[in-house]
Amino acid sequence: MLMVSLGTGIGGGIVIDGRLYEGTHRMAGEFGHMVVEVDGPPCPCGNRGCWERFASGSALGELARQDARNGLTPRVLELAGGDPVAVTGEHVTAAAIDGDPDALRLMARLGRFVAIGIANLVNIFDPQVVVVGGGLVKAGEVLMAPVRASLDGLAMGARVRPQVPVLPASLGERSAAVGAGLMAMAAAPGADGGVVS
Ligand SMILES: [Zn+2]
């Protein structure tokens, strides 16, 4: 199982046989810093073109501010009080849930970026399921539907395996914090290991 947390950035977790895989230096699962565009926009990590520059809540805000400056998202701009600089991903999410076509178009663009990263992960891990958490999960199906639609044909082996189920985390945006808490408890003296499933 892979967990992908779409928030301000993108975090992740790799769960193998019910246990969180942490890596040699406990740094595994930094999915957000997969480079998806060589020479892409700079990332705070020092690289360029990291996935989280394209597929996080911050990236959605950036896409929406561009559209707002160009007069392409009147409803989203209205929710932000008329100031393009004040537009955030949350305004887009709220407008998309209300059925605003411009916000839905932004969600479809974001969904494609999310799907590209998930396809890379599916090619590497061949997981049973990909669980999506983080703040963007509040968007629900207006994000998940374009992610699933874009995923079609992106991952290898479509003829020999079904499309991996991509599901919203049942704990919603709190799932990463709950997972971190469980890990801390598991790491405490007397605990019996880092099981997070
Ligand atoms: Zn990065």
Side-chain angles (χ1 to χ4, degrees):
M1 185 272 262
L2 298 179
M3 161 81 187
V4 176
S5 175
L6 305 175
T8 313
I10 299 180
I14 304 155
V15 177
I16 300 172
D17 297 333
R19 297 183 74 86
L20 184 70
Y21 175 76
E22 295 185 87
T24 306
H25 303 94
R26 310 188 78 181
M27 291 182 70
E30 287 288 352
F31 300 153
H33 299 285
M34 266 193 296
V35 173
V36 295
E37 186 178 317
V38 175
D39 300 327
C43 177
C45 78
N47 270 331
R48 284 182 163 274
C50 291
W51 185 34
E52 71 174 35
R53 304 305 302 148
F54 297 90
S56 61
S58 311
L60 178 63
E62 188 54 45
L63 284 174
R65 284 190 290 278
Q66 280 175 17
D67 274 13
R69 280 193 292 269
N70 294 322
L72 299 174
T73 56
R75 176 66 187 141
V76 171
L77 187 58
E78 189 187 334
L79 289 176
D83 179 3
V85 177
V87 169
T88 66
E90 297 201 338
H91 297 129
V92 183
T93 300
I97 290 170
D98 278 353
D100 175 60
D102 303 318
L104 289 168
R105 201 183 56 240
L106 280 164
M107 281 294 180
R109 285 165 68 190
L110 182 77
R112 176 157 172 77
F113 289 136
V114 171
I116 284 169
I118 289 178
N120 287 340
L121 295 171
V122 168
N123 286 340
I124 296 166
F125 292 103
D126 188 22
Q128 281 178 320
V129 62
V130 176
V131 176
V132 177
L136 272 175
V137 91
K138 274 187 290 190
E141 280 304 301
V142 298
L143 176 62
M144 303 307 286
V147 168
R148 293 191 195 106
S150 295
L151 202 52
D152 249 346
L154 277 177
M156 287 174 61
R159 275 192 236 157
V160 292
R161 66 176 166 193
Q163 189 189 86
V164 64
V166 180
L167 307 173
S170 54
L171 294 169
E173 62 178 316
R174 293 183 299 124
S175 50
V178 171
L182 287 171
M183 279 178 68
M185 283 162 59
D192 60 355
V195 179
V196 177
S197 58

